[in-house]
Amino acid sequence: MALAERGADVAVTYKQDASAVVEAVKATGRRVLALRADAADPASAEPAVREVVEHFGALDVLVNNAGVAGDLDDMWAVNVRGAWSYAQAAVEHLPSGGRIVNIGSNLGDRVPFPGITAYAMTKFAVTGMTRGLARDLAPRGITVVQVDPGSTDTDMNPADGPNAPGQLGLIPLGRFAAPREVAAVVADLAGPSGAYVTGASIRVDGGINA
């Protein structure tokens, strides 16, 4: 939505249902394409990216936004291999000035409490990928950046969920982020103001890693 509101046509991948997102983007007047694809399946990346390019005629920005918590194999497949697969597919089409924005986590920079080692490990891997791709793609004028949210009010980690009190006690601002607060940073980095930012991780975590 943040990208569409700033004038972008948007393609989204989904596993179950994207109808609400599709209708919301259409309401902004922008074009939208929804593709059923599982980020855990590396074979899904190239066909999905190719369909986006065929539909819109170009690809300017990739946002690797899929993420899961739980079983290590699932987290590795989605959080790391999925982001890598889609980045590799996208670079074949991104022009000079193109952007890759990876969604990491503040837990990929610091681990403030026990019990999250496996998840943090996958997000540290995303940080390494972001920095490496920034070096690799800079000669082509493509920037690669990472947005690291902290506790954000989503279905996976609701602000009123059982794990929220322990997190709130660590956040200097004393609240969870709203998804739109994270999305605004992504949209800024994807737009003109992000042209000279590459290889960087931008934390949106209410100060928890300060």
Side-chain angles (χ1 to χ4, degrees):
M1 285 303 301
L3 292 166
E5 288 166 358
R6 298 189 188 202
D9 295 325
V10 178
V12 296
T13 59
Y14 70 97
K15 282 183 64 177
Q16 296 176 337
D17 181 26
S19 57
V21 175
V22 168
E23 293 307 313
V25 172
K26 284 182 178 179
T28 70
R30 304 309 307 177
R31 294 185 296 166
V32 59
L33 174 67
L35 303 169
R36 184 183 293 275
D38 185 354
D41 178 10
S44 73
E46 195 278 331
V49 169
R50 184 177 65 248
E51 187 169 348
V52 171
V53 174
E54 291 173 352
H55 183 83
F56 291 116
L59 175 65
D60 301 298
V61 178
L62 168 71
V63 180
N64 274 317
N65 188 49
V68 297
D71 175 79
L72 175 59
D73 288 339
D74 291 340
M75 289 191 293
W76 189 262
V78 175
N79 299 354
V80 183
R81 191 180 62 192
W84 170 257
S85 298
Y86 274 81
Q88 291 300 300
V91 296
E92 299 298 321
H93 304 279
L94 289 170
S96 177
R99 310 287 164 79
I100 296 175
V101 183
N102 294 319
I103 305 301
S105 169
N106 68 322
L107 300 177
D109 176 62
R110 182 179 173 195
V111 186
F113 49 86
I116 53 170
T117 300
Y119 179 81
M121 179 175 68
T122 66
K123 291 303 185 177
F124 269 90
V126 174
T127 300
M129 180 180 67
T130 297
R131 294 175 181 175
L133 284 177
R135 292 280 188 182
D136 292 344
L137 299 177
R140 290 181 49 192
I142 298 170
T143 65
V144 187
V145 294
Q146 183 168 317
V147 174
D148 288 337
S151 300
T152 305
D153 187 16
T154 63
D155 291 343
M156 192 167 75
N157 186 29
D160 60 355
N163 297 319
Q167 296 172 58
L168 287 169
L170 299 172
I171 303 170
L173 288 182
R175 65 176 179 85
F176 277 34
R180 278 185 170 270
E181 292 175 302
V182 179
V185 178
V186 173
D188 281 344
L189 292 169
S193 60
Y196 199 63
V197 183
T198 195
S201 298
I202 310 300
R203 291 198 303 267
V204 189
D205 68 352
I208 192 171
N209 279 15

